[in-house]
Amino acid sequence: MKEPRNRRRGPVLMRRNQVQDSTTDQRLLDSRGPTDWVHTDPWRVMRIQSEFIEGFGALAELGPAIAVFGSARTPLDNPSYADAEALGAKLSAAGFAVITGGGPGAMEAANKGASESGGVSVGLGIELPFEAGLNQWVDMGINFRYFFARKTMFVKYSQGFVVLPGGLGTLDELFEALTLVQTRKVTSFPVVLIGTAYWGGLVQWLRDTVLAEGKMSPEDLDLITVTDDLDHAVDIMVAAREGRAPGVTPHRPE
């Protein structure tokens, strides 16, 4: 039997002819059409408020956590999938919960690594026209209608970001985090990119074009660490949690 078409709209599951072609975010941001938005938009504030309340309530006691980002299009046999799964397990062993976007690909792999190792595997899903809910390895999941509410949860409840190869969504999360750190909206928030071959061109462009033309400061490049070593990435997160430099064993009095 063919699996019915389905989509989640916040906590609501819709299937077959109940699935709408547009998303809640799209309807909020689209200014075209009749002017009834004047009357309906104020009421949307209540729905937006409820998403923040649900997120804060579910994640308030999560404990130390790291957000892992990467492409939903990463196939099972791709090295990035194996890296994400191993990373999820290593972060869990280091005492972190693992938060992803809850989708397939690299997100699924990180959730799987955390879940199978006995850690806390969290998925923050989003209503999209081409994705059908949270992956099976999410142990605690929240579905959001609005990107901005979901983004707040990632930053508020994560102590750092680890970013695997990904596309526009991954880049969006990456540069939002870097902007928040640069503007000191968040402090002590490490950002690590996994994959020197994948991210090397981006970092070179930032250095040779953006920095060279005076569009950023030299210290802004220090906000990013690029590595192929998963253990190094985890050590950076642990060091930030403990308030020490990576690779330095803190002195403990006898």
Side-chain angles (χ1 to χ4, degrees), residues 90-106:
K90 288 176 181 293
L91 287 169
S92 177
F96 291 107
V98 172
I99 306 177
T100 79

Side-chain angles (χ1 to χ4, degrees), residues 9 20 22-53 127 145-146 148-149:
R9 187 178 63 196
Q20 296 177 301
S22 63
T23 66
T24 308
D25 257 340
Q26 180 183 343
R27 292 190 293 275
L28 170 67
L29 298 173
D30 195 344
S31 60
R32 296 169 295 179
T35 57
D36 61 355
W37 64 268
V38 173
H39 308 289
T40 60
D41 273 13
W43 290 102
R44 285 194 174 115
V45 173
M46 303 299 291
R47 179 179 290 171
I48 293 168
Q49 178 179 309
S50 73
E51 292 212 338
F52 281 106
I53 291 171
E127 177 191 0
R145 293 180 174 92
Y146 299 102
F148 51 83

Side-chain angles (χ1 to χ4, degrees), residues 95-116:
F96 291 107
V98 172
I99 306 177
T100 79
M107 293 176 283
E108 173 188 286
N111 284 134
K112 180 181 179 183
S115 181
E116 287 195 325

Side-chain angles (χ1 to χ4, degrees), residues 45-219:
V45 173
M46 303 299 291
R47 179 179 290 171
I48 293 168
Q49 178 179 309
S50 73
E51 292 212 338
F52 281 106
I53 291 171
E54 289 288 345
F56 293 154
L59 301 174
E61 298 180 0
L62 181 62
I66 301 299
V68 178
F69 296 100
S71 177
R73 305 181 188 189
T74 303
L76 292 173
D77 59 354
N78 189 283
S80 286
Y81 191 98
D83 281 346
E85 186 174 347
L87 178 64
K90 288 176 181 293
L91 287 169
S92 177
F96 291 107
V98 172
I99 306 177
T100 79
M107 293 176 283
E108 173 188 286
N111 284 134
K112 180 181 179 183
S115 181
E116 287 195 325
S117 63
V120 180
S121 172
V122 180
L124 306 182
I126 185 68
E127 177 191 0
L128 293 174
F130 43 79
E131 288 185 14
L134 301 172
N135 68 68
Q136 64 176 319
W137 298 103
V138 170
D139 299 324
M140 179 193 298
I142 309 170
N143 277 298
F144 291 88
R145 293 180 174 92
Y146 299 102
F147 264 117
F148 51 83
R150 179 181 183 241
K151 286 171 176 288
T152 299
M153 301 305 152
F154 274 123
V155 176
K156 179 171 176 58
Y157 293 105
S158 300
Q159 294 188 346
F161 282 5
V162 181
V163 187
L164 291 121
L168 295 179
T170 303
L171 291 169
D172 174 50
E173 299 292 355
L174 167 61
F175 280 102
E176 179 178 53
L178 292 175
T179 300
L180 290 173
V181 178
Q182 181 202 46
T183 56
R184 299 182 184 178
K185 296 294 185 181
V186 294
T187 57
S188 187
F189 195 90
V191 178
V192 178
L193 310 184
I194 302 294
T196 54
Y198 189 87
W199 297 110
L202 173 63
V203 175
Q204 183 176 350
W205 174 76
L206 289 173
R207 179 184 300 109
D208 296 347
T209 301
V210 182
L211 177 60
E213 294 191 8
K215 304 298 192 298
M216 63 187 295
S217 301
E219 56 268 24

